[in-house]
Each structure stands twice: as C-alpha cells, then as structure tokens.
Amino acid sequence: MSIESMREAFGKSLVEIGKENDNVVVVDADLSKSTKTEYFKKIFPSRFVDVGIAEQNLVGVSAGLASTGKNVFASSFAVFETGRAYEIIRNMVCMAKLNVKLCATHAGLMTGQDGATHQSIEDLSIMRSLPNMRVLVPTDAVEAAQMVKYMSKESGPMYMRMVRDDTKNIHYDNYRFEFGKAEKIKEGNDVAIIACGPMVEKSLVAAKILEVDNIRVKLYNMSTIKPIDIDAIVDAAKNTRGIITVEDHSIIGGLGSAVSEIVCQTYPTRVIRIGVNDEFGMSAKAEELYAHYGITVDSIVKYAKEILDIDSEL
C-alpha cells in the first residue's frame, strides 16, 4: 500500500476543478499551508479568500458567496470549522441549502500531540444532525480526490472530514467514489465490520488476521455517513452474527450511532461500537492514543471473536 496525504490530494484536486470551472471559489481561515488550499491560492488568487483566524466569518463569507451563485469550498481544522461556526452553518448554510462544501482537515485523534483542543471527535455527530447536510469521510487520499470532484458537480451543503497525517491507500487510481453507497471490501458471513476513514485500513488488517482462524469477515467502507447506505447495513445485520463499527470519533453520534439507528429500525442484531467512549482526547502520538482508547486491530479481533463466542487471548 502506498502512503499519501488526504490534504495534499484535496489541495491538488481543488486546482483541477478550478481549471474546469471558473465558478469555484475557495475560502480559508489562515490555515492554507496546513489545509493545502495554498495550491489553489497560488493558481487562482482572485478566487481565493482568507478571512483570517475567524471560522464564523469563514462560513458567513462562504454563505454570501454561495448566495451569488459561486461554488464554494471552505476549509479549516475540523474542530474549529464545525464547533466555532456551528450556528452559522445551521442558520445560514443548511437552512438556505446554500452551495457550500465544508472540507475540514485535522479530524480525530490522529491530530495526536496537538491535544484535546485540536482533536475533533464530535464533528460527525454535529454535522449529521443538521438537515440538508451530506457527510463524507474519505478513507485515503485516492477517495478524498474523488470526493472533491464529486462535490464540485453537486449543489448544496456538504461536509468532508480529513485527517492530518499521511495514510495508507487502500484504493488505486481507477477507484470511483459512489455517493451514498458503502464499498464492500470483503465478503464473509461470520462477522461484519463497518468502518470509515483510516479505520478501514485497520479493519482490513484485522479481517486478514481473523481469516487465519477461519473467521470470515464482511467489511464495508462507509465513506458516506449521511445519507447512509441502509441496504449495506441490513445486509451486514442479516447475513452475519453481529456488527462491529470502527471510527476515529466519539461512539456517540458518529458512524456507530448511525449504524445502530438503522439496525434498530430494520433488523435488530448485536452492534459493538469501537471509538472514543464519551471522553475528550489527550496529547500523545496517534497510535498511542488509539491504543489508549482501544481503537486497534487487536480490539477488532477481540470483539469479532466475542460475537462468535470464541475465547480471545486478549
């Protein structure tokens, strides 16, 4: 697997869509070097707006530009873009169904040593609760680039969540993102794993470990969190002994909650949610944080065996 940056893919894709569409405008909150919108700024300075360290203004200006017909991509760190600007997103962007794509970087515990103040582990919960908002989580740089191209051709509010660190690519360049559809990565009938973001790669490693013990995993990459793929979740519920969700996010309101809501309404089965358990993060390296909060390959393997009533060594 190659290793690439989602942020780099995002920034370079903005330049590509900017060349194809003069209506594309990018707005940033003094973080263009980190969010990689600096690439767009360099090529299209007249279509780039830096509002300074002011996320409420970031969204307000984006809403104003969208109201004049512009195709707006607004970027900042996830914790600030969704937290500080929440009311503006709700009342100005979502209520009016304006064409603003919020593309947030530095999400989740992977932000690591920046500490709890910079680790956005509630953003999916916040964004998916908003009417008219669509929510995307790329698992790697290839999918992030595909999502940018998709968003450039669609109208209305969207939120895309990216991590800071480089991640392993599970996709090749011929991959094509399909909005609203989960990607079935592995077929199996013992346990289902539904993951998003870089946790898909961890889940893939866990699935291969479980195969050694002849445990067959059905693995889905749920890269569209809202609207979520109900058919995939029902398939997982009906055709396995239980579901494990894996996310770099609070277990409250994110992927695990979304899957649980569908399971309760359609085909009740056991769901184990792996994520942050109603706590804030802390400062440490990303893998140390994942180990502390139990968001690990070992945890996935352990819970898969627990669902199957197999004693685990952990």
Side-chain angles (χ1 to χ4, degrees), residues 31 55-56 76-86 117-118 120:
L31 290 167
E55 286 73 20
Q56 292 174 329
S76 184
F77 289 2
V79 72
F80 306 129
E81 186 160 32
T82 62
R84 287 181 179 169
Y86 169 73
T117 57
H118 285 56
S120 181

Side-chain angles (χ1 to χ4, degrees), residues 91-153:
N91 291 348
M92 295 182 69
V93 174
C94 289
M95 283 190 181
K97 300 181 183 180
L98 291 176
N99 193 16
V100 177
K101 284 83 177 192
L102 303 168
C103 299
T105 66
H106 294 64
L109 295 174
M110 195 174 279
T111 308
Q113 289 164 310
D114 288 353
T117 57
H118 285 56
Q119 293 162 356
S120 181
I121 53 176
E122 312 88 9
D123 54 311
L124 293 179
S125 178
I126 295 169
M127 290 295 104
R128 65 180 284 264
S129 70
L130 288 170
N132 301 322
M133 180 65 82
R134 288 159 283 178
V135 180
L136 306 176
V137 182
T139 189
D140 59 17
V142 176
E143 192 165 44
Q146 286 287 315
M147 286 179 174
V148 173
K149 293 175 182 175
Y150 167 78
M151 289 191 290
S152 71
K153 298 174 182 174

Side-chain angles (χ1 to χ4, degrees), residues 1 170 185-186 199-208 219:
M1 293 180 179
I170 68 165
I185 295 175
K186 290 187 72 66
M199 299 305 104
V200 176
E201 192 271 332
K202 283 186 184 295
S203 300
L204 186 57
V205 173
K208 291 178 179 177
L219 173 58

Side-chain angles (χ1 to χ4, degrees), residues 27-30 49-59 61-62:
V27 186
D28 200 285
D30 199 34
V49 180
D50 189 336
V51 300
I53 307 172
E55 286 73 20
Q56 292 174 329
N57 285 345
L58 170 81
V59 178
V61 168
S62 297

Side-chain angles (χ1 to χ4, degrees), residues 162-237:
M162 295 171 282
V163 296
R164 180 189 64 184
D165 295 354
D166 295 355
T167 54
K168 292 180 180 177
N169 284 336
I170 68 165
H171 298 111
Y172 296 100
D173 289 339
N174 61 356
Y175 170 73
R176 291 295 174 266
F177 164 71
E178 189 173 0
F179 176 74
K181 293 291 184 183
E183 177 193 12
K184 187 185 288 184
I185 295 175
K186 290 187 72 66
E187 181 60 278
N189 56 10
D190 290 319
V191 176
I193 302 173
I194 301 176
C196 66
M199 299 305 104
V200 176
E201 192 271 332
K202 283 186 184 295
S203 300
L204 186 57
V205 173
K208 291 178 179 177
I209 291 172
L210 289 163
E211 281 181 354
V212 175
D213 291 329
N214 204 31
I215 298 171
R216 304 303 174 190
V217 171
K218 187 190 298 289
L219 173 58
Y220 276 111
N221 165 29
M222 193 65 77
S223 55
T224 304
I225 302 296
K226 183 186 178 186
I228 203 160
D229 188 341
I230 296 174
D231 291 341
I233 295 170
V234 172
D235 171 52

Side-chain angles (χ1 to χ4, degrees), residues 229-251:
D229 188 341
I230 296 174
D231 291 341
I233 295 170
V234 172
D235 171 52
K238 283 186 175 179
N239 297 305
T240 67
R241 298 263 301 274
I243 298 172
I244 300 169
T245 61
V246 192
E247 58 192 317
D248 181 357
H249 186 271
S250 171
I251 61 168

